[in-house]
Amino acid sequence: MDDTLLMVIDRAPYGDWQGREALDMAFSLAAFDRPVALLFRGEGVNWLRPGQDGDAVRQKTVSRNLGAARMFGVSELYADKAAMARFGLTEPTPEAVSVTPDPAFYRLFHQVVQL
Amino acid sequence: MDDTLLMVIDRAPYGDWQGREALDMAFSLAAFDRPVALLFRGEGVNWLRPGQDGDAVRQKTVSRNLGAARMFGVSELYADKAAMARFGLTEPTPEAVSVTPDPAFYRLFHQVVQL
Amino acid sequence: MSHQTDSMLTLHILNKAPGHPRFTACLVGMAEGDLLLLTENAVLALADDNVRLPASTRALAADCKARGIGGDVPLVDYRGMVQLTDRFSRIISW
Amino acid sequence: MSHQTDSMLTLHILNKAPGHPRFTACLVGMAEGDLLLLTENAVLALADDNVRLPASTRALAADCKARGIGGDVPLVDYRGMVQLTDRFSRIISW
Amino acid sequence: MPPTEAHQAPGYTLVITGAPYSSQAPATALAFCQALVDTGHTCDRLFLYGDGVYLASALNTPPSDETDWTAEWQALLSRHRIPAVACIASCLRRGLLDEQEATRYERPASNLASGFDIAGLGEWVEAQSSSNRVIYFHGGA
Amino acid sequence: MPPTEAHQAPGYTLVITGAPYSSQAPATALAFCQALVDTGHTCDRLFLYGDGVYLASALNTPPSDETDWTAEWQALLSRHRIPAVACIASCLRRGLLDEQEATRYERPASNLASGFDIAGLGEWVEAQSSSNRVIYFHGGA
């Protein structure tokens, strides 16, 4: 366990703003050089789906924000393995490491936050 | 099928205001002499639980509002039979008739509204 | 196009993600001949292994496109949604 | 009372109704020795036949009282909740 | 696809119960309303209820690269002379006030956006009989 | 039950992300915060984020027989000199403005309740290291 804060996103994109606002929190931590990781869990794995186009609903395409995560200093991205399979996201994504969000996983982090 | 509008409450009380605001709609219809019925479905059946005391969370006790429903002109109250059993509300309540919210039930009503 | 309405049949407009309790309640509440229109986060059901949708399902094109969802149900645009609300006089928003 | 904290153990504060996807996610995320505190609509789990709660469950008294929920887990008042947040340095709000 | 032919009036009442930035409801309803008028239908009124009243705040200030749903709705309402009513009980609880309510309750300001009026649930009851369709746009949670 | 003894400062940061009248979050957080101070703990700050910023509206006007959560929080904050900060990005989207932001964005009024300030997420980042506990009170949906 290090000092890293794990930000969990378990809501699908575009239907509400919770994931965006969680991402803003993660980016803020990174901007202040605090270690932060992201976990996409449950319906939140749909953030990682290829081929998104937010313009269709007049929102920003969230996967683009995500692409910038590493640039912003968010070092680790994780995806819920079972949820990826459930939503047909079987390919390994370049962005995220597949994990099982069990107690052992959560304990790798100093703090766990979800909105 | 008559002209009755069925207002469905499927959220538990006290955690949010959706049920209260649905009830306000039902009472408004009744105030204008429009026929209206209420269905408590899923977690919403907890509106019918005896022994509530909203003061404990500094809210009004919702079951009291409900007691006034007939007085306000809401003629029919229904409760989801399976959900009642699931939440240990096995006794027949004086307020509501147990039903199964299936297509045949919904078709008894001119309109079905839920918040 | 005629303006006949199917008086007992119902258009179910469902905008909740598949894990929401109301998603299941909607499917259970559908009668034969009813039509299901998936909007907003409900279109994720098209990619969800856990969900079996009725044959008479449509999905809002814009919401599918935003989320990168393909799927094999007919897509409708907002005008198509208007047409559906024209055709059905009974409409339930879930 | 000592102020020793169980450094790896976690207090899980859960306020979602039992049908919410996060309710299950919370139970799955709990380790042995962790404590579950049910608040707000989550206390309905005490009356819900579909839910099996871990042995180490507490519930917020005010929320139980408001909803007419009895149940057989220890109740804590808001001061008791403060004590729990004192005791656990790791706290997850679900 | 050919445009849907219009019914004769009476037309549609749209009810929004989800807030902008917490839900997609105002956005979906906007696109639907635009499609209504594009196909010659009449939108009799927009009714805001519950969290939907937050759409009517004149103070909503989204980032310049995000859609301003309040402004978009104001433009559509004005362009097609659609009356928009926010439920008074929902508004008062959630801090949406016109000048009259601000004065009545001695609050320091009013924030209701132009194009929206505050009124009671009677407007919604009225819609039940005067409109041909009442369509609800809820939050997603 | 004896009162919990207090830690020495640093104390608690409370984060509210659920709105009043749509969620119980501000109510549960209020009772928790009262219990904190009653047992000699320090509440370092209240941070409002997402829908939680709606708590900070000076225009919230609940019916007289319902609890006024904004007023209750203002009283508690003032009594114990607890700083309260609402996230600026959440506030702008949702129409919560202080005078400075109202002027900057040329909006017709401001509505931030006294006792609350608007600031960036830096305040929350700061809480991670300066407070001993950061406790979140979310909406229920």
Side-chain angles (χ1 to χ4, degrees):
Chain A
M1 189 175 77
D2 57 15
D3 268 2
T4 303
L5 183 148
L6 179 70
M7 183 67 64
V8 183
I9 294 179
D10 66 353
R11 307 282 285 242
Y14 306 108
D16 60 51
W17 264 249
Q18 273 179 251
R20 287 171 178 283
E21 295 190 315
L23 212 56
D24 285 347
M25 285 184 141
F27 289 178
S28 281
L29 282 173
F32 286 91
D33 289 323
R34 309 293 170 91
V36 58
L38 282 170
L39 166 65
F40 296 90
R41 187 169 53 69
E43 289 160 351
V45 297
N46 289 288
W47 277 70
L48 301 168
R49 187 176 294 282
Q52 296 176 37
D53 178 11
D55 284 348
V57 293
R58 305 183 62 187
Q59 292 185 37
K60 284 196 262 185
T61 302
V62 300
S63 42
R64 255 176 243 155
N65 297 35
L66 214 54
R70 270 178 228 279
M71 213 177 67
F72 279 101
V74 179
S75 47
E76 305 156 44
L77 273 74
Y78 301 98
D80 175 343
K81 194 183 173 71
M84 291 284 279
R86 172 185 157 198
F87 283 102
L89 296 162
T90 43
E91 297 167 65
T93 69
E95 299 93 2
V97 177
S98 288
V99 296
T100 298
D102 59 13
F105 176 74
Y106 291 125
R107 282 184 169 186
L108 297 174
F109 302 92
H110 180 62
Q111 260 201 83
V112 178
V113 175
Q114 48 202 335
L115 292 191
Chain B
M1 191 176 76
D2 57 15
D3 267 0
T4 302
L5 183 147
L6 178 70
M7 184 66 66
V8 182
I9 293 179
D10 65 353
R11 307 280 286 241
Y14 305 108
D16 61 52
W17 264 249
Q18 272 179 253
R20 286 170 179 283
E21 294 190 316
L23 212 56
D24 284 348
M25 284 185 141
F27 288 178
S28 280
L29 282 172
F32 287 90
D33 289 323
R34 310 293 170 91
V36 58
L38 282 171
L39 166 66
F40 295 90
R41 188 168 54 67
E43 288 160 351
V45 295
N46 287 289
W47 277 70
L48 301 168
R49 187 176 294 283
Q52 295 176 38
D53 178 11
D55 284 348
V57 293
R58 307 183 59 186
Q59 291 185 39
K60 285 196 262 184
T61 302
V62 300
S63 42
R64 253 176 244 153
N65 297 35
L66 213 54
R70 269 178 229 280
M71 214 176 66
F72 278 101
V74 178
S75 48
E76 306 157 44
L77 273 73
Y78 300 98
D80 174 344
K81 193 182 174 74
M84 292 284 280
R86 171 184 157 198
F87 284 102
L89 295 161
T90 44
E91 296 167 66
T93 68
E95 299 92 2
V97 178
S98 289
V99 296
T100 298
D102 58 13
F105 176 74
Y106 290 126
R107 282 184 170 185
L108 297 173
F109 303 92
H110 180 62
Q111 260 202 84
V112 179
V113 175
Q114 48 203 336
L115 293 192
Chain C
M1 182 191 155
S2 88
H3 287 309
Q4 88 183 50
T5 58
D6 304 320
S7 69
M8 288 300 284
L9 299 183
T10 303
L11 172 65
H12 300 265
I13 302 177
L14 173 56
N15 77 332
K16 303 294 186 287
H20 195 286
R22 211 177 269 183
F23 195 99
T24 310
C26 170
L27 297 192
V28 169
M30 284 184 65
E32 211 171 306
D34 286 0
L35 197 88
L36 175 64
L37 175 63
L38 303 174
T39 70
E40 304 179 358
N41 276 347
V43 304
L44 295 174
L46 299 175
D48 186 346
D49 273 357
N50 291 358
V51 175
R52 290 194 67 80
L53 293 165
S56 55
T57 299
R58 305 286 182 274
L60 203 49
D63 286 312
C64 290
K65 191 173 179 199
R67 292 163 180 81
I69 295 284
D72 42 7
V73 307
L75 301 184
V76 299
D77 59 10
Y78 293 105
R79 286 185 181 211
M81 182 172 171
V82 167
Q83 285 184 318
L84 291 176
T85 62
D86 255 350
R87 203 177 109 204
F88 290 86
S89 62
R90 279 174 61 81
I91 300 169
I92 305 181
S93 288
W94 293 84
Chain D
M1 181 193 155
S2 87
H3 287 310
Q4 88 184 51
T5 57
D6 304 320
S7 68
M8 288 298 286
L9 299 183
T10 304
L11 172 65
H12 300 265
I13 302 177
L14 174 56
N15 77 331
K16 304 292 185 288
H20 195 288
R22 210 176 269 182
F23 196 98
T24 311
C26 171
L27 296 193
V28 169
M30 283 184 65
E32 212 169 306
D34 286 0
L35 198 89
L36 176 63
L37 176 63
L38 303 173
T39 70
E40 304 178 358
N41 276 348
V43 304
L44 295 174
L46 298 174
D48 185 348
D49 273 356
N50 291 358
V51 175
R52 291 195 66 80
L53 293 165
S56 54
T57 299
R58 306 286 182 273
L60 204 48
D63 286 312
C64 290
K65 191 172 179 201
R67 291 163 181 81
I69 296 284
D72 42 8
V73 307
L75 302 184
V76 299
D77 59 10
Y78 293 105
R79 287 185 181 209
M81 182 173 171
V82 167
Q83 286 184 316
L84 291 177
T85 62
D86 254 351
R87 203 177 109 204
F88 290 86
S89 63
R90 279 174 61 79
I91 300 168
I92 304 180
S93 288
W94 294 83
Chain E
M1 183 158 30
T4 306
E5 290 168 45
H7 280 273
Q8 298 307 311
Y12 282 65
T13 287
L14 307 189
V15 181
I16 298 180
T17 70
Y21 311 109
S22 313
S23 87
Q24 228 186 307
T28 303
L30 180 79
F32 181 84
C33 190
Q34 183 67 60
L36 268 185
V37 298
D38 287 349
T39 53
H41 289 73
T42 302
C43 182
D44 295 332
R45 70 173 69 65
L46 174 68
F47 188 77
L48 306 181
Y49 194 65
D51 289 348
V53 301
Y54 286 128
L55 178 65
S57 170
L59 307 186
N60 293 341
T61 311
S64 55
D65 59 347
E66 289 184 22
T67 309
D68 183 336
W69 299 109
T70 302
E72 294 285 326
W73 263 110
Q74 285 178 299
L76 183 67
L77 293 169
S78 153
R79 211 155 47 228
H80 302 283
R81 299 172 190 278
I82 302 167
V85 169
C87 169
I88 187 165
S90 302
C91 279
L92 290 174
R93 277 201 188 91
R94 289 171 178 82
L96 270 285
L97 304 180
D98 60 10
E99 281 178 35
Q100 190 182 323
E101 299 304 324
T103 304
R104 184 198 313 256
Y105 293 102
E106 300 177 349
R107 297 286 157 166
S110 64
N111 60 345
L112 192 75
S114 65
F116 295 90
D117 287 312
I118 290 183
L121 270 168
E123 285 284 320
W124 170 77
V125 173
E126 165 68 14
Q128 305 301 319
S129 48
S130 67
S131 281
N132 209 25
R133 296 283 186 280
V134 183
I135 315 274
Y136 295 82
F137 296 87
H138 298 312
Chain F
M1 181 158 30
T4 306
E5 290 167 44
H7 282 273
Q8 298 307 311
Y12 283 64
T13 288
L14 307 188
V15 181
I16 299 180
T17 70
Y21 311 110
S22 312
S23 86
Q24 229 186 308
T28 303
L30 180 79
F32 181 83
C33 190
Q34 183 68 60
L36 268 184
V37 297
D38 286 350
T39 53
H41 290 73
T42 302
C43 182
D44 295 331
R45 70 174 67 67
L46 174 68
F47 189 77
L48 305 181
Y49 194 65
D51 288 349
V53 301
Y54 287 127
L55 177 65
S57 170
L59 307 186
N60 293 341
T61 311
S64 56
D65 60 347
E66 290 185 21
T67 307
D68 183 335
W69 298 109
T70 302
E72 294 285 326
W73 263 109
Q74 286 178 299
L76 184 66
L77 293 170
S78 151
R79 209 156 50 230
H80 302 284
R81 300 173 189 278
I82 301 168
V85 169
C87 169
I88 186 165
S90 302
C91 279
L92 290 174
R93 277 201 190 90
R94 289 172 179 81
L96 270 286
L97 304 180
D98 60 11
E99 281 179 35
Q100 191 182 323
E101 300 303 324
T103 304
R104 184 198 313 256
Y105 293 101
E106 299 177 348
R107 297 286 158 166
S110 64
N111 60 346
L112 193 75
S114 65
F116 295 91
D117 287 312
I118 289 183
L121 270 168
E123 286 283 319
W124 170 76
V125 173
E126 165 68 16
Q128 304 301 320
S129 47
S130 67
S131 280
N132 209 25
R133 296 283 187 278
V134 184
I135 315 274
Y136 295 81
F137 295 88
H138 299 312

